[in-house]
Amino acid sequence: IAGITQAPTSQILAAGRRMTLRCTQDMRHNAMYWYRQDLGLGLRLIHYSNTAGTTGKGEVPDGYSVSRANTDDFPLTLASAVPSQTSVYFCASSGTLTGELFFGEGSRLTVL
Amino acid sequence: AQSVTQPDIHITVSEGASLELRCNYSYGATPYLFWYVQSPGQGLQLLLKYFSGDTLVQGIKGFEAEFKRSQSSFNLRKPSVHWSDAAEYFCAVGAEGSGYSTLTFGKGTMLLVSP
């Protein structure tokens, strides 16, 4: 089944540790996104990529980095995790100019 | 910059009753509008979308939404709610003409369905 795969599904992490959330899509979409979802705040855009080789900052990029070496993969890295990065992270992709997004199932991250 | 307001954090509806979830947006040009649904522990699924044309759009699971430019609204409706509709609903707006634009989401409305 075509779609977006995120890993890990869930992770508990000590503060200060480095963590990479993986995202892979098989729909050949050009654009990919990382959102975080927090209670009462909805979804907030962290980083995006309009095409392989390019990335951009969203609403809450601090403490996060991304890369887009190819069309299919869009990993999100927390270089030194902090408790405020405890959240559910969603990867999404879009193949249209109108911005319709397809979402992965999410990665729940807890930073202690 | 575009923004989305969902005024209701929670709504409780009896099973079989009608439903309307409110969404107001702010954007200077013609917006692209979306409603997504999120069941517990799941990702977001697209219910319906408006790009242009007929202002009443039909979606999956019996949902519909009406774009009203004069009111900057895109309210979601369903004539008869089922218990399986209990979920969180997000309205989102995208910008026209910006290529692979980013969507701005509202903070969501949690729908509870009572027996």
Side-chain angles (χ1 to χ4, degrees):
Chain A
I1 298 176
I4 294 181
T5 302
Q6 292 185 234
T9 303
S10 180
Q11 181 76 44
I12 299 173
L13 187 67
R17 297 297 296 269
R18 180 184 181 88
M19 178 71 193
T20 295
L21 303 180
R22 301 184 298 279
C23 175
T24 299
Q25 56 112 351
D26 60 4
M27 296 176 283
R28 307 302 294 172
H29 286 169
N30 279 333
M32 297 187 74
Y33 310 84
W34 275 105
Y35 287 87
R36 60 177 289 175
Q37 184 179 30
D38 302 287
L39 192 64
L41 298 178
L43 288 99
R44 293 180 292 169
L45 182 67
I46 304 171
H47 284 287
Y48 65 94
S49 169
N50 285 340
T51 189
T54 67
T55 63
K57 294 181 179 180
E59 179 184 358
V60 288
D62 294 343
Y64 305 95
S65 63
V66 292
S67 61
R68 189 85 184 279
N70 57 62
T71 297
D72 297 342
D73 300 301
F74 191 45
L76 176 73
T77 298
L78 290 67
S80 178
V82 295
S84 63
Q85 292 178 310
T86 294
S87 187
V88 181
Y89 292 86
F90 287 97
C91 181
S93 70
S94 175
T96 70
L97 296 177
T98 52
E100 176 182 342
L101 298 181
F102 295 83
F103 284 86
E105 294 292 301
S107 295
R108 181 176 295 276
L109 182 65
T110 302
V111 182
L112 302 176
Chain B
Q2 62 254 39
S3 66
V4 177
T5 301
Q6 293 181 247
D8 304 303
I9 298 174
H10 297 101
I11 282 185
T12 300
V13 175
S14 298
E15 189 169 15
S18 63
L19 169 70
E20 183 170 31
L21 301 183
R22 295 183 292 166
C23 172
N24 293 97
Y25 70 90
S26 174
Y27 184 64
T30 301
Y32 297 145
L33 295 161
F34 306 83
W35 275 99
Y36 284 84
V37 60
Q38 184 182 32
S39 298
Q42 302 294 313
L44 281 74
Q45 180 185 20
L46 181 69
L47 279 177
L48 48 77
K49 57 192 177 186
Y50 170 79
F51 297 152
S52 64
D54 192 348
T55 56
L56 183 64
V57 294
Q58 303 296 321
I60 62 171
K61 305 183 179 184
F63 285 91
E64 66 178 28
E66 186 171 12
F67 170 57
K68 293 186 177 180
R69 185 187 299 275
S70 62
Q71 299 177 18
S72 297
S73 69
F74 189 57
N75 294 348
L76 182 71
R77 302 193 294 250
K78 187 170 184 178
S80 178
V81 170
H82 188 263
W83 64 265
S84 60
D85 293 324
E88 190 158 23
Y89 292 80
F90 292 92
C91 183
V93 61
E96 179 183 15
S98 56
Y100 292 102
S101 64
T102 58
L103 295 190
T104 299
F105 287 84
K107 294 184 178 179
T109 298
M110 181 66 72
L111 173 65
L112 306 173
V113 180
S114 61

